[in-house]
Amino acid sequence: MSTNDRGTVKVENGRYRFKGKFHYGYPNDPIRNEDGELMGITNPRDLTHVHMYGGEAPFFEGLGQGKLLGTRCDDSNCEANGSIFIPFRIHCPDCLSKNTIIDMTETAQKGATVHTFMITERTGAFNTLPKPIRFVNVEFEGVPTILMGYLSVGEPKIGMKVVPIFNTTNPTYTILDLSWVPEETNETELPEGFTFG
Amino acid sequence: MIKFSKRQLKTPKMQRPVYLVTGGMSKFGRSIPEKRTEELVIDSFVEAAKFIDKSPAELKEYIHSCYYGHFADHFGDQLLGESVIHDRLGLDPLGNIGIKTGGATGGSTLWEAFKAVASGYSDCVLAMGWERMDEVPTDEGNNYIASAADKDWETPLGHIYTGYYAVMAQKYWQVFGKEEDSFRQTMAEIAVKNRGYARMNPHAQGPMDITVDDVINSPVVAYPLRALDCCLMSVGAACAILCDEKTANELTNNPLEIHVAAGSHTLRVADRRDMEIPLLPNESEDMYKDLGDRFPGGDRYPGFTGFLAARMAAYYGYRMAGVIDPTEDFDLVELHDAFTISDIQTYEDIGIRPYGEGRTYVESGDCYLTNPKTGEPGKLPSNLSGGLIGNMHAVGATGIMQAIEVGQHIWGRWAEMHEPQSKWDLFGRSKPDDWTNLQVDDAKRGLAISHAGVGSHVTATILVHPDHQLERNES
Ligand SMILES: [Zn+2]
């Protein structure tokens, strides 16, 4: 696929404006067995999906600006009142009222701990993370949820203190813009494009 | 802290009893390039009809509505694949519906079929499940499976579903397994057992005669999980026929009462908030008072170590069937052994052992057909089919396969379905010289657990011989 006419989208007046190519078709090939008999065909294609972040957009925008945003239920009638959600939840899962967006960057910088982790060499198609991948599930002081992410420096351990780093140089606007490193990691050790925010 | 209302915890009460009449399955394989999915589905249906001495056409005359379990549309590259299957089975114009709940799709299909009969909508229904995971390369398959995780918060992280579960395995391994060699050994024993039982099953895709050392020395997938700790990726189909009492007795003289219950939990493990442990009938609050002392870090429930969905499926299901103690009340179980360690977690969630003590179900020898420690029959043999590790995990078919396997034991017809040389020949598989009949003597009741990924959906299917029903507390 050539990338210069790759599809881009804008939203104008509440409508999508598509520009460029979103799908590329190719001729199919027959699949035969060792005796030359027809078994099936290939179905090649490339396509680009569009996906809206809706109420989560501030979170993904925030990462590129070095901010970790969470949300909090501020409905005084709700049993979960005061609960902080990170992963960012647009609505409270209990009362369904709209949560308040809060900046969790400082909390994360001060007291984030590895709850659990895993290391694997195996990935699926479209993976862009360097291998082996080190997932860390990060716990924050006073937060009932545990955020999944990946560790970019060092080896993970349960209970280890970590701090967030952000792809502020060339953001992808995905969860990959957020990563974690052990406390006291030097700025020079961070992967390309990442900063402490 | 999460609390449930009384209404939410109500024991499901059906309008009338439901019976499993018959079931069948196709061959299972990593790839079956010579057959379309429809052909595998028909293979399983023909087996189900034959099992009760009916022709497929005769059995079809009884069916009133159809429930189709097929998880991953994108693997088959066909939306509404259920309609294709329905047409090829010649079941139009009956009402039909597709069901998808990840790895629990098979169990959920039985759940829907069960409710359709229990409500009176239909007197006889088809529950059919299948999966076709061989039409893309493995890394694309991994990506597709990872698409069942949260697409913004998880999937971009490696596009590898195993990883999203492996963090749970790691936590359980450290907190409850205490990183002990003996615990690692116990995990490996499950892999050896299930692959060994698969050797006696002509349908099975992953039979192996291996040792604990083979498992422990197999390549690391995501520590502590190794290649031989993990389940298979499969192609195949399985089906079951469920009826009300009258229709069941017209079709067979030996129907089994069936109960199906379901639970769920957040798709992202990240979102799981703490709660008190919902207790099963054989548990008391006292049992868990010191859980955090005995297993430091283990007092956060369900945290990353418990499957609340499995707990809730058992919570509802046991009360529906009158089950108090699963080890006493069941004669065998088929569990969702996606990974050896998740199998151990499930023993606790469904009350075979209390939380923290799952490993003892294996270490006591209770989980074997013949307890290797005593030479006596195991108290509660598990996964005699070979399970997901040794038999198959053709997602939409898995929960149905498990229920049929349990049924064949209660019917006392396990050998008839697994021994004949003709079946081994038909599937192009060689029957081992030491083939052994795994029939559980005098089986009366059994359980099958169907489970999705990190535990987003779990069903409990309970089969009971009608002469051996348990007393039910109607409160
Ligand atoms: Zn709320």
Side-chain angles (χ1 to χ4, degrees), chain A residues 73 78 92 95:
Chain A
C73 175
C78 176
C92 168
C95 67

Side-chain angles (χ1 to χ4, degrees), chain A residues 72-83 85 91-99, chain B residues 273:
Chain A
R72 185 182 60 218
C73 175
D74 282 337
D75 184 335
S76 55
N77 294 318
C78 176
E79 239 181 85
N81 177 28
S83 290
F85 301 104
H91 295 273
C92 168
D94 288 357
C95 67
L96 303 187
S97 64
K98 193 121 187 210
N99 282 333
Chain B
R273 291 180 286 167

Side-chain angles (χ1 to χ4, degrees), chain B residues 327-346:
Chain B
T327 310
E328 292 302 320
D329 294 339
F330 295 127
D331 301 299
L332 76 154
V333 291
E334 282 284 329
L335 304 178
H336 189 97
D337 52 336
F339 304 97
T340 51
I341 195 165
S342 65
D343 206 45
I344 298 176
Q345 290 171 278
T346 302

Side-chain angles (χ1 to χ4, degrees), chain B residues 50-72:
Chain B
K50 223 171 160 185
F51 189 75
I52 49 168
D53 300 318
K54 293 273 183 284
S55 71
E58 284 168 338
L59 179 56
K60 273 167 40 174
E61 280 180 27
Y62 287 81
I63 296 170
H64 181 259
S65 61
C66 304
Y67 301 83
Y68 293 127
H70 167 226
F71 171 46

Side-chain angles (χ1 to χ4, degrees), chain B residues 188-198 343 347 367-368 382-383:
Chain B
E189 246 192 77
I190 297 167
V192 173
K193 169 176 79 74
N194 295 358
R195 286 193 171 75
Y197 288 149
D343 206 45
Y347 308 155
C367 68
Y368 289 87
S382 97
N383 293 20

Side-chain angles (χ1 to χ4, degrees), chain B residues 19-62:
Chain B
Y19 294 85
L20 171 70
V21 163
T22 183
M25 52 192 115
S26 72
K27 170 186 175 174
F28 301 113
R30 174 65 186 92
S31 60
I32 305 184
E34 70 278 17
K35 287 202 175 190
R36 295 180 72 97
T37 308
E38 300 94 288
E39 296 172 82
L40 297 166
V41 161
I42 288 173
D43 288 347
S44 77
F45 189 85
V46 170
E47 182 172 286
K50 223 171 160 185
F51 189 75
I52 49 168
D53 300 318
K54 293 273 183 284
S55 71
E58 284 168 338
L59 179 56
K60 273 167 40 174
E61 280 180 27
Y62 287 81

